[in-house]
Amino acid sequence: MDEDKNENFFSFTLGTGMFAVPVKFVKEVFEFTSLTPVPNSLPYLRGVMNIRGSVVSILDLRKLFGFNPSDDLSQTSVIDLEIPRENEKPFELSIIADSVDVVSGLYMIQAGSASYGIPEEQSQFVRSVARRGEQFILVLDLIKILCFVESDVDKAEKARA
């Protein structure tokens, strides 16, 4: 994975797992304040938040990955992301993190399994496995996550129609 050699990553925790995203996609990080729930939305879309004048969807990856999230978000952080899209302007999306860690380079490793030990449906969201010291970190593929969410929203809208 030579493409990752000079790339820095922002790491954070979800449940008991450590995850990372390329730092180039991170706009800002802040403590959770409040959000507006959206009725009949998908379970992992917690609502929307006003971030510097933009209405941004809040994605709870804990629900997407099958962790047991709490409804109490007061001790969480929000990572505001800007995800590039082909021939379109970047898509702004925020994710909830149980805690935030650091920005650092990561050592990518070859995993013994393509699923990384997570359910098959969620393994598509993992770009690679990295290691920092003795800790393993799942590097997320934000573009695949965004495509999945957009597809899921389209299916839900068509089912309601």
Side-chain angles (χ1 to χ4, degrees), residues 38-101:
V38 177
N40 302 316
S41 66
L42 296 165
Y44 53 82
L45 290 173
R46 295 296 294 260
V48 294
M49 185 179 277
N50 182 338
I51 301 175
R52 303 200 190 290
S54 295
V55 177
V56 180
S57 295
I58 306 298
L59 176 63
D60 193 341
L61 290 174
R62 298 172 304 176
K63 286 189 176 190
L64 194 62
F65 278 97
F67 294 117
N68 291 325
S70 167
D71 285 333
D72 179 14
L73 300 175
S74 63
Q75 300 299 309
T76 62
S77 295
V78 176
I79 304 168
D80 190 33
L81 304 164
E82 196 169 74
I83 304 168
R85 299 192 306 180
E86 258 186 63
N87 303 320
E88 294 182 52
K89 70 178 194 167
F91 190 86
E92 188 173 3
L93 178 71
S94 290
I95 57 176
I96 294 171
D98 290 322
S99 66
V100 294
D101 195 38

Side-chain angles (χ1 to χ4, degrees), residues 11-160:
S11 53
F12 57 94
T13 61
L14 296 172
T16 58
M18 181 66 74
F19 295 81
V21 295
V23 75
K24 65 185 176 188
F25 297 150
V26 178
K27 284 182 69 173
E28 68 180 302
V29 179
F30 52 91
E31 296 301 312
F32 178 83
T33 52
S34 66
L35 59 76
T36 303
V38 177
N40 302 316
S41 66
L42 296 165
Y44 53 82
L45 290 173
R46 295 296 294 260
V48 294
M49 185 179 277
N50 182 338
I51 301 175
R52 303 200 190 290
S54 295
V55 177
V56 180
S57 295
I58 306 298
L59 176 63
D60 193 341
L61 290 174
R62 298 172 304 176
K63 286 189 176 190
L64 194 62
F65 278 97
F67 294 117
N68 291 325
S70 167
D71 285 333
D72 179 14
L73 300 175
S74 63
Q75 300 299 309
T76 62
S77 295
V78 176
I79 304 168
D80 190 33
L81 304 164
E82 196 169 74
I83 304 168
R85 299 192 306 180
E86 258 186 63
N87 303 320
E88 294 182 52
K89 70 178 194 167
F91 190 86
E92 188 173 3
L93 178 71
S94 290
I95 57 176
I96 294 171
D98 290 322
S99 66
V100 294
D101 195 38
V102 297
V103 171
S104 67
L106 295 175
Y107 176 70
M108 299 301 155
I109 61 173
Q110 292 294 328
S113 164
S115 71
Y116 309 113
I118 58 176
E120 188 176 330
E121 187 175 293
Q122 287 90 2
S123 68
Q124 67 177 316
F125 306 138
V126 177
R127 181 170 107 183
S128 56
V129 175
R131 198 166 104 192
R132 185 173 55 224
E134 296 301 310
Q135 187 171 41
F136 290 99
I137 301 170
L138 298 178
V139 178
L140 299 178
D141 188 326
L142 293 174
I143 295 169
K144 285 186 180 174
I145 290 172
L146 178 60
C147 288
F148 173 84
V149 170
E150 289 178 324
S151 172
D152 231 12
V153 167
D154 285 346
K155 287 179 200 169
E157 286 176 354
K158 287 177 183 168
R160 282 189 215 117

